[in-house]
């Protein structure tokens, strides 16, 4: 454990250990397809319950999730549902067999609320036939109508674990080897560069939304494929007052697959996934639900947003890829604490237009002593004496130089993805 005293709080950094994947799957745990952010809060007294801890049952209502049973056929019988892969606040994700093409796919079934603008913006971001070498490929999309409304569905190529889950599962010290981290970073940036050239912002760029491709599974028999995911574990839903289930409530809940195709060989290809927060350059949202620890400061200060939010997140991602943890605290973090740490890292003043909001956020709590800057913190965390070090101090100096170009408060001052890709350190 590493403890750092900063101007905002004591920073406690735990070193991840090899541990079983939790049974509750969210966008930050196991499956690289599930969507964004926090699930809406449940009612005080839950009406339904299930022994399976997965997506919240109160979201099976008008505007919410679509109830699914294993073996269901979707889109005029083309897709057969075989297992659950995950869930998020705005979708459930299922492994399915494409009976027409003889392949396995992931189907992301979005909530129906407002006919799911989120689902359609994701479809729009992925439906271009441009280069998909490092961006998840959408092979089909359709709508399904059910008791809770009309739900956009994305049919995605089957991918392997996220980078985050691979680290947890295969590297006991929670850190990728330097050469592998460099390869992952380069491919992730190649995918991000394709998006930015198309004037699309990902909006939720971090290592949990980077996934490894896998070897093709189309020739694997259906029963063997299910065994690769683990036999489905189901828990029947009951009404807590003894009544009957409502029309939009599923008969049972399926526990998500614990380990995604673990026994299948991974390829060396990295793809960007989860486009639930993506947006075109000419139609930026007012807010983004990027995890706070990698959220760009202009989101916190309610400034105009564009694709350069991804550049700040890229800087955070590079730090985490090589060091094994984000540059900012992810324990008990608040916007106020985060901004203080951002100032320590960036080593520059906030733009004048943000100062009034910052003063109201900070209140009377003004701290004089600053913590370490970016380079000092990067070296302290990489050369911590507890985890494997296979990069030289010169490498870490170069990495700090690159990250510093991205962690700039003014979006216009951040270096483009293309420039980072062309940096000699990444070309070596």
């Amino acid at each position: 454990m590493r403890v750092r005293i900063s101007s905002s709080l004591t920073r406690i950094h735990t070193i991840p250990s090899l541990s079983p994947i939790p049974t509750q799957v969210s966008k930050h745990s196991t499956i690289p397809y599930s969507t964004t952010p926090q699930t809406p809060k449940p009612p005080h007294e839950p009406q339904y319950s299930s022994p399976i801890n997965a997506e919240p049952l109160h979201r099976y209502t008008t505007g919410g999730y679509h109830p699914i049973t294993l073996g269901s056929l979707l889109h005029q019988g083309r897709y057969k549902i075989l297992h659950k892969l995950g869930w998020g606040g705005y979708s459930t994700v299922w492994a399915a067999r494409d009976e027409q093409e003889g392949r396995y796919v992931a189907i992301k079934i979005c909530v129906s609320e407002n006919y799911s603008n989120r689902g359609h913006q994701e479809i729009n971001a992925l439906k271009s036939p441009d280069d998909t070498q490092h961006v998840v490929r959408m092979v089909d999309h359709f709508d399904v109508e059910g008791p809770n409304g009309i739900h956009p569905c994305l049919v995605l190529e089957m991918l392997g674990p996220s980078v985050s889950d691979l680290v947890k599962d295969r590297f006991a010290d929670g850190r990728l080897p330097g050469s592998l981290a460099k390869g992952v970073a380069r491919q992730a940036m190649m995918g991000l560069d394709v998006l930015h050239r198309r004037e699309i912002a990902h909006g939720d760029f971090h290592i949990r939304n980077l996934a490894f491709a896998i070897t093709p599974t189309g020739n694997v028999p259906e029963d063997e494929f299910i065994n690769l995911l683990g036999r489905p574990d189901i828990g029947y839903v009951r009404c807590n007052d003894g009544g009957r289930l409502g029309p939009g409530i599923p008969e049972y809940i399926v526990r998500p697959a614990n380990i995604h195709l673990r026994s299948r060989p991974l390829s060396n290809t990295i793809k960007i996934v989860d486009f639930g927060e993506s947006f075109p350059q000419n139609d930026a949202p007012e807010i983004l639900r990027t995890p706070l620890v990698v959220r760009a400061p202009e989101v916190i200060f309610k400034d105009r947003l564009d694709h350069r939010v991804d550049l700040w997140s890229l800087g955070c991602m590079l730090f985490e890829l090589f060091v094994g943890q984000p540059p900012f605290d992810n324990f008990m973090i608040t916007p106020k604490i985060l901004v203080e740490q951002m100032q320590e890292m960036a080593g520059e003043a906030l733009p004048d237009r943000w100062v009034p909001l910052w003063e109201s956020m900070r209140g009377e709590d003004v701290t004089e002593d600053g913590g370490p800057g970016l380079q000092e913190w990067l070296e302290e965390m990489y050369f911590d004496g507890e985890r494997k070090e296979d990069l030289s101090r010169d490498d870490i100096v170069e990495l700090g130089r690159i990250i510093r170009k991205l962690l700039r408060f003014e979006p216009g001052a951040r270096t483009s993805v293309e420039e980072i890709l062309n940096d000699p350190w990444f070309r070596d």
Side-chain angles (χ1 to χ4, degrees):
M1 177 180 290
R2 301 287 292 170
V3 179
R4 170 193 177 185
I5 306 298
S6 77
S7 63
S8 49
L9 83 169
T10 301
R11 290 195 183 180
I12 301 176
H13 292 274
T14 57
I15 297 179
S17 60
L18 192 64
S19 59
I21 293 175
T23 56
Q24 176 170 325
V25 180
S26 72
K27 77 173 297 184
H28 303 308
S29 53
T30 305
I31 303 303
Y33 303 98
S34 44
T35 53
T36 24
Q38 305 137 0
T39 303
K41 292 183 179 179
H44 293 300
E45 296 294 333
Q47 186 177 0
Y48 301 103
S49 59
S50 167
I52 296 296
N53 183 20
E55 71 270 20
L57 291 168
H58 76 274
R59 289 286 281 153
Y60 282 101
T61 186
T62 300
Y65 297 133
H66 177 63
I68 282 286
T69 55
L70 297 174
S72 297
L73 296 174
L74 301 181
H75 201 34
Q76 300 175 333
R78 177 171 175 177
Y79 301 107
K80 181 181 178 182
I81 299 295
L82 302 178
H83 208 315
K84 182 191 286 178
L85 294 178
W87 60 272
Y90 295 93
S91 74
T92 56
V93 189
W94 302 83
R97 174 80 177 176
D98 181 346
E99 303 287 11
Q100 179 176 306
E101 298 293 334
R103 62 189 172 191
Y104 296 100
V105 294
I107 300 184
K108 187 172 189 174
I109 306 177
C110 302
V111 297
S112 62
E113 187 174 21
N114 298 323
Y115 192 30
S116 190
N117 290 333
R118 186 180 302 274
H120 284 108
Q121 70 189 27
E122 191 164 1
I123 289 170
N124 290 333
L126 292 174
K127 70 182 180 182
S128 168
D130 289 351
D131 178 18
T132 58
Q133 182 181 3
H134 298 297
V135 175
V136 63
R137 183 166 56 94
M138 183 178 68
V139 299
D140 194 8
H141 64 90
F142 59 91
D143 294 335
V144 62
E145 186 171 2
N148 294 329
I150 301 174
H151 307 259
C153 301
L154 290 74
V155 183
L156 306 168
E157 64 179 311
M158 186 68 69
L159 293 176
S162 71
V163 170
S164 175
D165 287 323
L166 184 85
V167 171
K168 287 188 291 186
D169 193 38
R170 302 191 185 183
F171 297 94
D173 65 356
R175 176 184 291 175
L176 289 175
S179 60
L180 179 55
K182 210 171 198 179
V184 168
R186 181 166 179 78
Q187 292 186 65
M189 289 189 291
M190 290 170 68
L192 192 60
D193 187 45
V194 167
L195 295 175
H196 287 185
R197 288 176 186 275
R198 290 172 50 200
E199 298 187 339
I200 292 175
H202 184 272
D204 198 15
F205 192 71
H206 48 79
I207 68 169
R208 293 152 197 84
N209 283 338
L210 302 176
F212 285 88
I214 56 173
T215 56
T217 57
N219 61 347
V220 176
E222 184 177 300
D223 197 58
E224 183 179 336
F225 177 80
I226 294 173
N227 283 332
L228 287 172
L229 292 174
R231 305 301 298 185
D233 182 13
I234 66 173
Y236 286 92
V237 177
R238 68 180 186 89
C239 187
N240 292 335
D241 63 6
R244 301 181 64 177
L245 299 181
I249 305 297
E251 177 186 356
Y252 54 79
I253 292 294
V254 182
R255 191 188 307 279
N258 281 336
I259 299 177
H260 187 58
L261 298 174
R262 185 178 194 176
S263 61
R264 300 293 295 181
L266 299 178
S267 79
N268 294 322
T269 301
I270 292 293
K271 296 204 173 195
I272 302 173
V273 300
D274 196 348
F275 284 73
E277 292 290 312
S278 63
F279 59 91
Q281 184 73 6
N282 60 0
D283 189 21
E286 293 185 2
I287 60 169
L288 287 172
R289 297 171 181 83
T290 317
L292 184 58
V293 71
V294 296
R295 190 174 298 174
E298 60 265 35
V299 181
I300 296 172
F301 286 104
K302 301 178 172 59
D303 206 345
R304 181 182 178 277
L305 307 182
D306 59 28
H307 71 283
R308 292 172 293 195
V309 296
D310 293 337
L311 300 177
W312 180 278
S313 296
L314 173 59
C316 297
M317 187 207 75
L318 291 176
F319 191 107
E320 184 171 5
L321 264 181
F322 288 90
V323 170
Q325 61 194 60
F328 307 114
D329 286 309
N330 54 13
F331 177 69
M332 296 181 64
I333 193 69
T334 66
K336 174 186 175 294
I337 292 171
L338 179 61
V339 171
E340 289 178 340
Q341 294 178 4
M342 286 176 170
Q343 290 176 294
E344 293 170 1
M345 288 288 186
E348 59 184 20
L350 293 175
D352 290 343
R353 63 187 182 279
W354 295 353
V355 171
L357 181 54
W358 169 234
E359 290 178 345
S360 67
M361 290 171 59
R362 184 177 57 179
E364 300 297 323
D365 182 17
V366 179
T367 306
E368 298 297 332
D369 297 328
L374 170 61
Q375 189 63 45
E376 181 183 352
W377 186 233
L378 180 62
E379 293 183 18
E380 180 180 341
M381 296 314 300
Y382 187 79
F383 300 107
D384 63 2
E386 299 170 356
R387 291 175 284 185
K388 184 176 180 180
E389 303 161 1
D390 59 356
L391 294 176
S392 68
R393 194 164 294 274
D394 286 345
D395 283 323
I396 298 303
V397 168
E398 289 300 298
L399 178 61
R401 175 183 60 80
I402 291 168
I403 294 174
R404 192 177 300 111
K405 293 180 177 181
L406 296 163
L407 297 187
R408 301 291 305 275
F409 285 130
E410 282 290 359
R414 297 169 197 159
T415 300
S416 71
V417 182
E418 180 182 16
E419 291 177 83
I420 300 295
L421 274 170
N422 288 326
D423 189 279
W425 193 72
F426 273 111
R427 297 209 324 255
D428 291 343

